[in-house]
Amino acid sequence: MSASSSESYEPNLTPILDMVFQLITFFMLVINFKGASMDLTLNLPVLGSARPLEYIGRHEPLTLNIDKEGIVKSRGATVDVDAFVASEARLLKLLLDAGGTKLVDGELPVPVVIRADKTVNFTSLLRIMRLCQAEGYRQIALSAMTREGK
Amino acid sequence: MRRRSRRHRRHKNSGEAVQLNMAAMLDMAFQLLAFFVLTFRPSAIEGHLQVHMPPPIPLTNVNSEAPPDESGESGETLSGLETLDLYVTSNQNGDVADLKVGTFPVVQGQLHPAAVRRLNEHLKSLFEIEGILFDRVQIHADGRLRYDELMKIVDVCTQQTLSDGKPMQRVNFMELGNPVGTDGGN
């Protein structure tokens, strides 16, 4: 009797492993690496006709988050927008040059995504758009939520 | 027969259930799961309005008339020949107070859905006029105008179709009351 009670009983781990792998697969498929460049605390305007960004290129779009005080953030950090846009444009020009891409009329073939809080005033927004334009960014994508709620 | 039975016996012995140690695999799987759960951020239901801000064109506008005096601008704007000018003033809260296309008042008061429809119809009628080939819109807005109000106007502009059938994407922005030379001069 004592011999039979000392036998080790192992639970069948196969179903739990199956379930865990299913969950891992789900999270791997829905993971959003681009989310890191977005400030999800911003209250974007709602516009039903807003569409996903139509851009197919090797270089990542430049994302600028503008909060209601007009402070610009990129990749989670507050930036000096003048210096930041200038350095990003300079870097992109170097990369394009190295890749043999010629600029047409000095226009950078990469869009700038402007994610501004809906209460940001036009003066703040215009200043940033003009800055991007001066550095060669002419494609501007203005972000909005396609429906209410997050 | 004997050989067969030996073989069979050997096979039977080697075919005993081999139990894998699942614990290590499960540990790793849980680690991966924890990572994905902690880094999971549901993707926002986010879209964009794409505009193309063309380089400056220092030409005198002949299609759009000079803006009215109350807009705060002088009549001498520098615009492209095919530019349609919109003048937007706002109230203290940043809402649209008045919107003119050239000198024609289209919206008085807030930009309600009905006013947006009216603006859309007006722009559509202008873009359909033969002989006048607008290829860009220039929005002259009050500095207090809120981003969400501006987006409604940009949305209407980008819904228009050019004479060649392409969507209107060339939009430029200027601030009302600012001298042209200081804010880019398009």
Side-chain angles (χ1 to χ4, degrees):
Chain A
M1 195 169 165
S2 66
S4 65
S5 64
S6 67
E7 275 178 12
S8 61
Y9 291 99
E10 287 191 3
N12 186 5
L13 295 178
T14 313
I16 198 170
L17 201 59
D18 281 352
M19 187 204 69
V20 168
F21 274 119
Q22 296 250 8
L23 284 170
I24 288 173
T25 311
F26 167 75
F27 283 113
M28 276 175 75
L29 292 175
V30 298
I31 196 163
N32 181 16
F33 289 108
K34 286 181 182 174
S37 64
M38 295 178 181
D39 181 357
L40 297 178
T41 60
L42 293 178
N43 198 2
L44 297 180
V46 180
L47 212 60
S49 57
R51 293 282 169 267
L53 187 64
E54 288 174 13
Y55 166 69
I56 305 163
R58 285 169 53 207
H59 304 284
E60 275 288 299
L62 177 63
T63 304
L64 300 173
N65 300 281
I66 311 169
D67 70 9
K68 52 188 162 192
E69 275 89 36
I71 296 164
V72 181
K73 287 183 183 173
S74 187
R75 298 183 196 109
T78 305
V79 293
D80 171 15
V81 68
D82 299 64
F84 179 70
V85 174
S87 70
E88 288 286 320
R90 201 165 46 244
L91 184 66
L92 183 60
K93 279 173 192 165
L94 284 173
L95 287 171
L96 291 170
D97 206 32
T101 308
K102 299 274 179 196
L103 300 185
V104 182
D105 293 333
E107 180 176 336
L108 294 169
V110 174
V112 176
V113 177
I114 295 184
R115 300 181 74 255
D117 193 278
K118 64 181 180 184
T119 55
V120 167
N121 65 40
F122 183 68
T123 306
S124 307
L125 192 70
L126 183 66
R127 187 181 155 269
I128 291 162
M129 287 198 289
R130 286 271 182 245
L131 182 67
C132 295
Q133 195 184 27
E135 294 295 340
Y137 291 104
R138 306 263 162 77
Q139 299 169 44
I140 309 283
L142 301 166
S143 296
M145 303 298 283
T146 51
R147 58 175 188 265
E148 288 281 0
K150 288 188 177 179
Chain B
M1 274 295 273
R2 277 181 191 171
R3 275 181 188 173
R4 263 189 194 175
S5 64
R6 271 182 200 165
R7 265 184 203 168
H8 184 68
R9 209 176 294 156
R10 206 178 293 159
H11 180 72
K12 211 176 181 182
N13 288 343
S14 64
E16 273 177 8
V18 178
Q19 290 223 331
L20 289 171
N21 185 6
M22 293 285 203
M25 201 174 197
L26 200 60
D27 280 353
M28 186 208 66
F30 271 118
Q31 294 248 6
L32 278 172
L33 184 63
F35 166 75
F36 284 116
V37 169
L38 292 175
T39 57
F40 178 65
R41 277 182 179 184
S43 56
I45 326 145
E46 202 172 309
H48 303 88
L49 287 187
Q50 273 180 273
V51 295
H52 184 257
M53 292 177 72
I57 300 175
L59 292 172
T60 307
N61 193 344
V62 292
N63 287 324
S64 300
E65 292 175 41
D69 291 334
E70 62 266 24
S71 69
E73 280 196 339
S74 70
E76 295 173 3
T77 55
L78 295 176
S79 298
L81 282 167
E82 292 126 2
T83 303
L84 182 68
D85 290 295
L86 267 67
Y87 299 92
V88 189
T89 54
S90 74
N91 59 22
Q92 289 290 334
N93 300 326
D95 296 315
V96 170
D98 175 67
L99 193 154
K100 290 185 174 78
V101 178
T103 52
F104 187 80
V106 181
V107 177
Q108 298 280 351
Q110 292 197 341
L111 202 59
H112 293 303
V116 172
R117 273 197 299 277
R118 201 160 54 246
L119 175 65
N120 186 33
E121 281 160 17
H122 186 77
L123 290 185
K124 206 173 176 183
S125 67
L126 286 174
F127 274 88
E128 281 172 354
I129 295 173
E130 283 185 27
I132 303 175
L133 302 170
F134 292 116
D135 75 338
R136 69 191 67 188
V137 171
Q138 188 153 272
I139 299 172
H140 305 247
D142 196 317
R144 296 170 299 182
L145 186 74
R146 284 198 325 267
Y147 177 56
D148 58 341
E149 293 283 279
L150 177 75
M151 284 291 271
K152 289 180 196 168
I153 300 165
V154 175
D155 183 32
V156 176
C157 294
T158 53
Q159 281 175 26
Q160 307 309 314
T161 310
L162 299 175
S163 52
D164 58 2
K166 289 179 184 169
M168 221 293 303
Q169 278 199 323
R170 288 183 169 190
V171 182
N172 231 316
F173 302 94
M174 291 182 75
E175 192 171 340
L176 277 178
N178 251 11
V180 171
T182 58
D183 69 351
N186 293 311

